[in-house]
Amino acid sequence: GGASSVAGGGGGGGGISASTAVGRGVVREKEERLTMPPPAVSVLSPSEAQVYFAACTSRMHMGHTVDIRSVDWSCSGDVFASAGGEGAIRLWTLDSAGGLKGEELGRHNREAVNVVLFHPTDPNMLASIGKDKALMFWDVRSKNSTGKVSTSAENLNSAFAPDGRTLAVGDSKEKMHFVDIRSQKITNTHEFSYQLNEFTWNSSGDRMFVAGGLGNLETLLYPSLQSEMEVHPHASSCYAIDLDPSGRFLATGGGDSMATLWDVDDMSLLRTFGTLDGNVRNVSLSHDAQFLASCGEDMAVDISHCESGRSLLHIPCAGSLCSVAWNPKHYLLAIGGEEKG
């Protein structure tokens, strides 16, 4: 069945009580509780962070009948969504006491949902893409679909522009479609000469970072989509990409079992992380860019300290993993994958 996990911690500000926790989960019960360790200080040294995460707990929840392809948090940080290979989208609500409640939001015509993605500023808008060549928009409050856009092939990756007015969708034919959120129409399509993997905008919205099958990370000017520069973070395919909320740091994951960290200002390589053995399929930077979570073919999630590169915590799982996502306000990590047995 599909496994979705939640891991978290304090780390500044209010939110899910002033507390911390690391949790792993597959959705089985209607409501579960996470054990919360004390809050973290604002900046943790590698040794302090290792002690901190060692005190955290994890809990598994079952909610999908097959693998979970994607997890993502709302900008408010109190809800995350999961996408299942059976076509279901589920919402998971976390209350101030650590309770986690799941419910189904909708489906993609019994076809696999590959990505769920919350709007960057509206916590009630969710987008989903899938094998059925559809992009769907959802209202989290009413639990209804608010629109559908069809593309020419299976949709594999997506990203919102930082202003939330445009959504880019990447399909299996190496095409990126740009959808206007208000009109819900495709306004532009750009075809790539290499395998198109994950992508994201920079924080100002005038550039895009694209991960490619040649191990490349290409910077495109937006909206012209003219190539500005290209680096090669990986010896084989560059699968995953994530920009921290401040827009200063960019993380990648690749088929060479490595994760990397880059300074966006000059695209200089800051750190490499070699803590996993298999392909690194997904990466996520914490809200303060102190920690990098990575997962993939290994049956574990690694949490590493960005400044030192030290691995702090290995969260073992019973199957391969597809997605990790840090909460936008706390050290709370959602994990989705396939649990075996």
Side-chain angles (χ1 to χ4, degrees):
S4 100
S5 314
V6 189
I16 304 170
S17 71
S19 57
T20 68
V22 168
R24 183 174 67 88
V26 191
V27 185
R28 182 173 291 119
E29 288 78 16
K30 191 172 184 181
E31 185 172 349
E32 290 282 0
R33 300 273 166 189
L34 292 171
T35 303
M36 302 287 194
V41 295
S42 57
V43 178
L44 296 174
S45 69
S47 58
E48 289 170 334
Q50 200 150 28
V51 172
Y52 174 77
F53 282 111
C56 294
T57 62
S58 65
R59 191 179 295 274
M60 180 175 294
H61 304 273
M62 293 297 302
H64 294 267
T65 57
V66 294
D67 61 314
I68 288 177
R69 306 285 179 92
S70 171
V71 292
D72 191 48
W73 288 93
S74 69
C75 60
S76 60
D78 56 357
V79 177
F80 73 93
S82 59
E86 83 281 28
I89 301 166
R90 292 184 67 85
L91 296 175
W92 303 92
T93 303
L94 189 68
D95 63 30
S96 60
L100 187 65
K101 181 180 180 180
E103 59 181 333
E104 185 171 309
L105 173 64
R107 288 179 174 258
H108 264 244
N109 297 326
R110 299 182 181 179
E111 296 273 14
V113 182
N114 291 324
V115 176
V116 284
L117 189 65
F118 274 99
H119 189 276
T121 59
D122 183 354
N124 297 307
M125 180 185 287
L126 180 76
S128 61
I129 60 171
K131 191 175 181 180
D132 59 354
K133 306 177 185 179
L135 158 65
M136 297 187 69
F137 295 100
W138 304 87
D139 186 321
V140 171
R141 293 165 299 186
S142 66
K143 309 294 189 296
N144 292 322
S145 172
T146 58
K148 179 179 178 180
V149 179
S150 297
T151 62
S152 58
E154 178 179 0
N155 298 313
L156 301 175
N157 295 293
S158 64
F160 274 104
D163 62 8
R165 297 178 181 178
T166 303
L167 179 70
V169 177
D171 69 24
S172 59
K173 292 184 178 180
E174 324 311 340
K175 292 181 179 180
M176 186 184 295
H177 309 281
F178 295 87
V179 179
D180 178 79
I181 300 303
R182 292 179 181 175
S183 66
Q184 296 189 359
K185 294 183 182 299
I186 295 175
T187 58
N188 187 24
T189 295
H190 183 78
E191 188 169 0
F192 289 80
S193 60
Y194 52 80
Q195 178 181 304
L196 175 62
N197 293 323
E198 291 186 0
F199 45 84
T200 189
W201 269 270
N202 67 351
S203 58
S204 60
D206 61 0
R207 284 169 174 77
M208 295 189 75
F209 304 110
V210 181
L214 303 175
N216 56 316
L217 174 64
E218 187 174 18
T219 304
L220 304 178
L221 300 176
Y222 184 80
S224 69
L225 302 179
Q226 178 182 349
S227 181
E228 181 181 42
M229 68 175 298
E230 187 176 66
V231 294
H232 285 75
H234 300 282
S236 58
S237 188
C238 180
Y239 292 118
I241 191 169
D242 188 49
L243 185 74
D244 87 289
S246 74
R248 181 181 174 187
F249 301 107
L250 186 75
T252 71
D256 55 1
S257 308
M258 303 293 291
T260 67
L261 186 68
W262 298 77
D263 187 317
V264 170
D265 287 341
D266 58 3
M267 288 307 294
S268 59
L269 179 63
L270 300 176
R271 195 82 59 226
T272 59
F273 307 83
T275 55
L276 297 176
D277 295 324
N279 293 343
V280 180
R281 291 283 184 172
N282 202 233
V283 292
S284 181
L285 286 162
S286 61
H287 66 280
D288 54 4
Q290 284 201 76
F291 307 111
L292 174 68
S294 55
C295 72
E297 294 180 351
D298 288 40
M299 294 191 292
V301 174
D302 178 77
I303 297 176
S304 289
H305 189 258
C306 288
E307 186 175 356
S308 67
R310 183 189 299 181
S311 177
L312 303 173
L313 182 68
H314 237 49
I315 304 174
C317 303
S320 61
L321 300 168
C322 299
S323 185
V324 289
W326 283 106
N327 183 282
K329 299 179 180 180
H330 305 277
Y331 300 146
L332 187 65
L333 185 67
I335 304 166
E338 179 181 358
E339 291 289 333
K340 299 178 180 179

